[in-house]
Amino acid sequence: MAKPDIAAAAVAELPEGSRHDFRHDLSPDAPELENYREGDGAFGYAHSYETGSHLDGPGVRVTLFLTGCPLRCKYCHNPDTWHLKDGMRYPLERVVTRLGHFAPALRAMQGGLTISGGEPLVQAAFSRRIFAAAKSLGLHTALDTSGFLEERATDEYLKSVDLVLLDIKSWDPETYRRVTKQDVAPTLRFAERLAAMGKAVWIRYVLVPGLTDDPANIEGVARFVAPMKNVEWVEVLPFHQLGAFKWKALGLEYELADTPPASADLVSRVLGQFRDAGCNVR
Ligand code: SF4
């Protein structure tokens, strides 16, 4: 089969859609993460973008989903963003032009730009330049991250980020590894760094019955986060099965196929644990 023309792909429009759309293998020639040398961020790999999001920061937002992620969360609802090749190779200039079209509406709706993924820090140069451009358009900016690549979010990078949506997937290191196949330490280090610099943070905790619902584990996250004055909210995100079809379509083994959604009682117990520790929850 003939290989797709990367230059042609670079000028195609990035599809507007939703985080629940299935797209993958849009740039089959893209390197794997371990071989990726990003350069100056004039190009990057993007999966899609969503408009009108109320979920990813204050106001109404455009959320841009970049590809590439070093984690392998058992509950990931976007496994079609794990590899750079899952996204379209796209020039920074085009992202910025497109963002400029949305900017007046986003400003009027007290919203802004959120970069999510995948893990946006895989493409730190690309995402940093998009954030900087968003700031020059007068937009609020939010980085949605696991924090695993925290050393790439330099102080310079964070100058263009108003809010960090930080996923703490577990307090207990063993559970964190079971959930993500990686270490929790960088995430916690990042949280402490953000607290020391007073950067606004919303903590996100994905609540999966039988996996991340252990009271002691939640207590650990709650006690860690509660003293941090920069943490505005803790958001408890109940596990759902909306991404299950993607695992199947990609031929991946999905261990949570029989896991039920988090019940209202469980969500309420966990919200109570965070609240009792002194966190603002929702
Ligand atoms: S960090 Fe996010 S994109 Fe990466 S595997 Fe986990 S849930 Fe999926």
Side-chain angles (χ1 to χ4, degrees):
M1 194 169 80
K3 294 205 164 162
D5 180 346
I6 286 199
V11 296
E13 273 310 326
L14 184 66
E16 179 177 352
S18 130
R19 65 200 69 205
H20 302 305
D21 294 344
F22 178 63
R23 296 194 182 96
H24 78 118
D25 225 13
L26 300 177
S27 300
D29 291 337
E32 287 301 327
L33 258 51
E34 54 275 20
N35 301 322
Y36 189 45
R37 301 287 171 269
E38 191 184 6
D40 66 0
F43 283 87
Y45 294 90
H47 177 272
S48 57
Y49 68 93
E50 190 174 295
T51 57
S53 166
H54 295 269
L55 303 171
D56 307 305
V60 177
R61 313 189 68 82
V62 166
T63 303
L64 174 66
F65 298 93
L66 301 186
T67 51
C69 184
L71 272 56
R72 290 293 177 265
C73 301
K74 284 185 197 294
Y75 53 68
C76 182
H77 59 262
N78 284 326
D80 55 339
T81 62
W82 284 352
H83 302 278
L84 288 167
K85 69 183 173 113
D86 289 328
M88 183 182 285
R89 187 169 183 267
Y90 203 69
L92 172 75
E93 192 190 309
R94 295 287 290 273
V95 177
V96 175
T97 304
R98 196 93 185 101
L99 192 58
H101 297 152
F102 293 118
L106 292 172
R107 286 194 299 264
M109 292 184 285
Q110 282 85 49
L113 170 74
T114 299
I115 305 185
S116 182
E119 169 52 65
L121 293 173
V122 164
Q123 302 186 64
F126 188 52
S127 54
R128 182 185 60 76
R129 290 183 69 177
I130 298 170
F131 278 137
K135 288 313 299 171
S136 67
L137 290 166
L139 297 177
H140 178 277
T141 55
L143 166 69
D144 181 13
T145 179
S146 71
F148 182 70
L149 300 174
E150 57 97 20
E151 79 288 352
R152 299 189 189 184
T154 60
D155 290 356
E156 187 60 31
Y157 185 106
L158 291 170
K159 273 186 195 160
S160 300
V161 176
D162 295 311
L163 172 70
V164 177
L165 308 173
L166 181 63
D167 291 328
I168 301 184
K169 295 162 189 290
S170 163
W171 171 254
D172 166 50
E174 274 175 38
T175 305
Y176 194 93
R177 182 164 283 283
R178 192 143 45 91
V179 171
T180 69
K181 295 197 166 60
Q182 295 288 8
D183 288 335
V184 69
T187 301
L188 303 183
R189 212 163 43 230
F190 192 37
E192 284 170 338
R193 222 179 102 215
L194 294 167
M197 62 197 292
K199 180 69 70 183
V201 166
W202 295 3
I203 297 290
R204 292 175 147 183
Y205 190 83
V206 180
L207 181 58
V208 187
L211 188 63
T212 63
D213 59 350
D214 178 48
N217 200 6
I218 288 151
E219 197 66 25
V221 178
R223 285 172 183 269
F224 175 66
V225 162
M228 296 177 171
K229 305 253 177 302
N230 62 316
V231 173
E232 297 176 353
W233 293 103
V234 173
E235 295 187 310
V236 174
L237 308 179
F239 169 72
H240 58 66
Q241 291 282 7
L242 293 175
F245 80 98
K246 295 188 178 184
W247 288 72
K248 193 167 178 204
L250 291 166
L252 298 168
E253 188 193 351
Y254 181 53
E255 292 178 32
L256 302 187
D258 297 324
T259 301
S263 69
D265 281 352
L266 176 58
V267 174
S268 157
R269 188 208 87 203
V270 171
L271 286 172
Q273 280 193 268
F274 279 110
R275 201 179 292 116
D276 289 349
C279 304
N280 293 325
V281 295
R282 60 184 184 188

